[in-house]
Amino acid sequence: MKHSWDELDTYRGEYFSGQWPSIIDMLLITEGKFPQRPSFTVFKPDRTTLTFTELVASVRRVGSALAEAGVGRGDRVVINGKNSPAWGIAYLATLWAGGVVVPLDNQMDIERVRHLSEFVEASYLFGDKAIVDALDKSHLWCRSLKGCATLLGRSDNIPHIDELAPNDEITHAILGEHELAAILFTSGTTGAEKGVMLTHANIISDVYQACDGMFLSLDETDVLYALLPLHHSYCCTSVLLESIKHGAECVFGQDIIVSRMIADLSRGKVTIFMGIPLLYNKLLSGLLKQVRKKGRATYALIRTMMAVNGVLKKYLHINPFRPLFNKLLLNKVGLDHNHILICGAGPLSPKVFKQYQQLGLDFIQGYGLTETSPILTLNPISKFKVESVGKVFPLVDMIIADADENGVGEIRVKGPNVCSGYYRDEASSADLFDEEGYLRTGDLGYLDREEYLYLKGRAKNLIVTEGGKNVYPEQIEDRFQLYAQIDQILVRSYQEKADVPAEAIEAVIYPNSEYYEEHQLPIREDLERIIAEVNQLLPIYEKITRLTIAEEAMDMTSTKKIKRNKVTI
């Protein structure tokens, strides 16, 4: 059986040695194949595009400037900015100089930026104007930097990345596949951040597995959209690096603002779009809302056509109503050029997944974590299973540890994309792996006979009822994904009886204020009605018995996951 990485045999010995190329080796291989094809594009508001030859020239220039400033092999370079071509150039230029990329969340407060930069002993910092201006230049750590440059915006006395001009340009550092490429700090949904150490082999092996065989089919004619934060491994690997691998165009979006996103998708003619459940739920809800406005008959007709199209697409592999859906619906949200939608950073409701499929869109759901570079499974287009988060990658060894009578246990993995541990944290690194060397994901799930994974939830979030039943709160939360009345929901346990150490189930809901302003409904009464509706679909031991309405939005990560450990309502 042929694999995507078999093509590397053509370049091994010329561009790189070993099993996997470095990220820069991959860039140069692509530039050799597609020098004049578009690489990075941004609309600000006019279109600006770099070819792959122009991209490599920019990376060489900035990488040489870093080396001239004293950044060398293994030195850490912090990147903190919104998505932009400059962000991508800073990432690649750091590796060109032999450095290690440390991407930080652009929404992080400046004191946290300073603390983490100091923790990794950063030598250089790229940041948007707001970040650079907020730094305390008198601080010892700032004074120890070998340099600093801005990405978006220009700052007094600090050069913009476009202004970096070395005296001499250098060839790229020759980096081995097992050398460190990046330190990625986890988002901290359940605690403080940890710096995940990823090598070039970790990242590149994941890029190649994602496009292997039945998983993700794309080529140099595709256009990908980098909307989600690039400091997160999900978007960085699946969009930025995947586009570089294939010689495809990468359109950069800077904010998750629906109107701007739709404009980017339309103008860029994006063919592959990667999002998160919250985003897909909003898009689908908006589409169906527009259909309802056309009247009951039209709504019933379109929903019937969707159902028929979904069946024909799944079983006969034909998509007869897609042109009509493009004209009536999908062009309104910029998805009329789309070939593939990808969802990650959290499970999508099967109901939502199915409706996108019915609209004629190929929808892929995956699973992974920062520690695995990040993808471990993808749902193949040709053989997708709606309830699953995908088939295990070919080079990944996945087991279910301590499985219960239903086959549910902790997901553990080995593979070339699995990290070696956490930066300067030996204790947490040791705890990350079991005695046989498998990485403990902390997630619960089960595998079917065809190696498809079914996710249940986080082990730490598991609720055990009075009857000894296991309840997975994330699965209950998924039931609420299409209710426009709910902006955020967190399902958790509470102790109903002081003398019984069992857990009952509570829903903490932050209502959608715009919805209730428009519809003038009593909030608690309406939310209780929704809970009763969902409860009818749940077994008795999973039913929600208490509602708490949050007065303020709950803290979320940059990929819109609620920070469960910070909810104290």
Side-chain angles (χ1 to χ4, degrees):
M1 179 180 177
K2 298 191 75 172
H3 291 289
S4 60
W5 50 87
D6 292 341
E7 70 178 39
L8 292 174
D9 293 338
T10 305
Y11 306 102
R12 192 175 287 108
E14 180 183 358
Y15 284 89
F16 69 99
S17 58
Q19 183 178 8
W20 301 102
S22 72
I23 293 169
I24 293 299
D25 295 331
M26 183 177 73
L27 171 65
L28 294 176
I29 289 170
T30 296
E31 192 234 353
K33 293 191 292 184
F34 307 112
Q36 295 309 310
R37 287 208 62 85
S39 61
F40 289 0
T41 291
V42 69
F43 298 101
K44 52 175 191 181
D46 297 325
R47 182 189 185 108
T48 301
T49 297
L50 296 175
T51 65
F52 274 97
T53 292
E54 290 169 333
L55 172 60
V56 169
S58 294
V59 170
R60 182 187 300 112
R61 171 181 58 79
V62 178
S64 300
L66 289 175
E68 197 169 275
V71 175
R73 191 183 224 95
D75 285 344
R76 276 74 63 200
V77 175
V78 167
I79 305 177
N80 192 343
K82 293 182 178 180
N83 292 7
S84 66
W87 196 105
I89 290 168
Y91 180 100
L92 296 167
T94 297
L95 302 175
W96 187 280
V100 176
V101 181
V102 185
L104 297 183
D105 187 345
N106 187 244
Q107 296 178 3
M108 189 179 287
D109 68 77
I110 196 64
E111 181 57 25
R112 197 75 188 138
V113 172
R114 183 200 63 76
H115 172 77
L116 293 179
S117 300
E118 196 170 26
F119 175 70
V120 299
E121 298 176 303
S123 296
Y124 202 98
L125 183 140
F126 290 101
D128 290 348
K129 179 182 185 300
I131 299 295
V132 172
D133 286 349
L135 288 172
D136 182 357
K137 309 299 190 298
S138 66
H139 195 280
L140 178 62
W141 170 76
C142 273
R143 298 205 310 271
S144 71
L145 282 174
K146 295 174 181 176
C148 183
T150 59
L151 299 173
L152 288 177
R154 297 178 185 269
S155 181
D156 295 339
N157 304 317
I158 301 292
H160 186 270
I161 190 171
D162 290 344
E163 298 169 340
L164 296 178
N167 293 318
D168 295 297
E169 294 193 350
I170 63 168
T171 57
H172 68 94
I174 307 300
L175 298 173
E177 60 189 294
H178 299 301
E179 291 192 60
L180 201 57
I183 299 171
L184 300 182
F185 283 94
T186 57
S187 56
T189 55
T190 58
E193 302 100 334
K194 297 183 182 71
V196 179
M197 297 186 292
L198 297 177
T199 65
H200 288 268
N202 290 153
I203 296 169
I204 293 295
S205 66
D206 207 59
V207 168
Y208 273 87
Q209 287 186 90
C211 61
D212 186 51
M214 66 173 110
F215 289 112
L216 186 61
S217 178
L218 65 154
D219 60 28
E220 71 276 10
T221 64
D222 278 301
V223 182
L224 288 77
Y225 188 37
L227 175 65
L228 300 180
L230 279 167
H231 79 272
H232 196 281
S233 59
Y234 176 35
C235 189
C236 190
T237 297
S238 303
V239 178
L240 180 67
L241 298 180
E242 204 70 55
S243 64
I244 290 173
K245 186 267 178 213
H246 290 279
E249 184 177 4
C250 180
V251 174
F252 290 81
Q254 293 171 9
D255 295 292
I256 304 180
I257 299 172
V258 174
S259 59
R260 180 167 179 173
M261 178 194 75
I262 292 172
D264 284 347
L265 290 171
S266 298
R267 295 176 69 186
K269 297 182 178 180
V270 171
T271 62
I272 298 176
F273 176 51
M274 189 188 73
I276 55 178
L278 178 68
L279 194 54
Y280 285 123
N281 291 334
K282 284 189 174 183
L283 282 176
L284 183 61
S285 179
L287 281 174
L288 296 180
K289 183 178 180 180
Q290 293 302 313
V291 175
R292 285 192 186 94
K293 287 181 178 179
K294 298 180 183 295
R296 289 184 178 180
T298 301
Y299 180 75
L301 176 62
I302 288 180
R303 291 307 299 265
T304 301
M305 291 170 63
M306 286 172 61
V308 172
N309 199 64
V311 172
L312 294 175
K313 188 173 185 300
K314 182 173 183 178
Y315 295 105
L316 298 181
H317 305 292
I318 59 174
N319 203 356
F321 296 137
R322 174 65 192 267
L324 183 60
F325 291 150
N326 280 343
K327 185 176 180 180
L328 293 179
L329 296 171
L330 299 178
N331 65 336
K332 305 291 193 300
V333 292
L335 293 179
D336 47 322
H337 296 281
N338 186 271
H339 299 323
I340 301 171
L341 297 174
I342 306 173
C343 185
L348 187 73
S349 166
K351 185 177 179 181
V352 179
F353 184 103
K354 186 176 180 179
Q355 288 181 67
Y356 275 107
Q357 289 279 357
Q358 291 175 339
L359 284 167
L361 295 163
D362 284 321
F363 205 105
I364 297 177
Q365 185 156 217
Y367 163 74
L369 51 158
T370 304
E371 289 85 346
T372 59
S373 305
I375 314 170
L376 291 166
T377 72
L378 279 177
N379 223 332
I381 291 173
S382 59
K383 196 178 178 183
F384 65 87
K385 297 186 181 184
V386 172
E387 302 286 340
S388 171
V389 291
K391 187 175 176 65
V392 180
F393 274 2
L395 299 179
V396 170
D397 176 12
M398 181 178 289
I399 63 171
I400 304 298
D402 304 322
D404 63 16
E405 66 276 9
N406 297 313
V408 176
E410 185 187 19
I411 302 161
R412 297 184 186 179
V413 292
K414 287 182 181 179
N417 51 318
V418 175
C419 75
S420 59
Y422 300 115
Y423 185 72
R424 291 176 58 188
D425 192 343
E426 292 183 7
S428 295
S429 297
D431 290 342
L432 186 59
F433 298 93
D434 68 15
E435 59 279 359
E436 295 179 4
Y438 285 90
L439 181 142
R440 308 172 193 264
T441 67
D443 290 319
L444 299 171
Y446 68 93
L447 292 166
D448 68 14
R449 292 181 179 179
E450 295 182 290
E451 290 282 288
Y452 281 74
L453 178 65
Y454 298 78
L455 203 59
K456 289 292 188 179
R458 292 290 294 173
K460 290 181 179 179
N461 301 335
L462 180 68
I463 298 170
V464 181
T465 68
E466 186 174 358
K469 295 286 190 178
N470 289 343
V471 176
Y472 307 97
E474 295 91 344
Q475 290 193 320
I476 300 175
E477 290 164 1
D478 291 345
R479 301 269 189 176
F480 293 86
Q481 285 191 14
L482 286 180
Y483 285 100
Q485 297 95 316
I486 297 173
D487 198 39
Q488 294 177 317
I489 181 167
L490 172 74
V491 173
R492 64 184 182 184
S493 65
Y494 73 97
Q495 195 168 340
E496 192 172 26
K497 303 172 185 176
D499 57 339
V500 179
E503 299 171 303
I505 299 168
E506 171 188 33
V508 179
I509 294 177
Y510 179 62
N512 182 340
S513 58
E514 291 183 6
Y515 178 92
Y516 285 107
E517 285 174 9
E518 179 183 347
H519 293 83
Q520 294 295 306
L521 294 171
I523 295 177
R524 176 168 286 278
E525 183 179 320
D526 191 48
L527 293 177
E528 286 176 345
R529 178 191 61 78
I530 291 171
I531 288 173
E533 195 173 287
V534 171
N535 273 346
Q536 289 182 347
L537 306 174
L538 300 172
I540 190 167
Y541 60 88
E542 288 187 356
K543 293 186 187 299
I544 296 166
T545 55
R546 187 165 82 180
L547 165 65
T548 297
I549 298 176
E551 294 183 1
E552 296 181 352
M554 292 172 269
D555 285 349
M556 302 183 82
T557 69
S558 56
T559 51
K560 305 305 177 186
K561 294 179 185 176
I562 294 172
K563 296 183 178 180
R564 307 180 85 95
N565 61 304
K566 292 191 175 182
V567 177
T568 57
I569 298 168

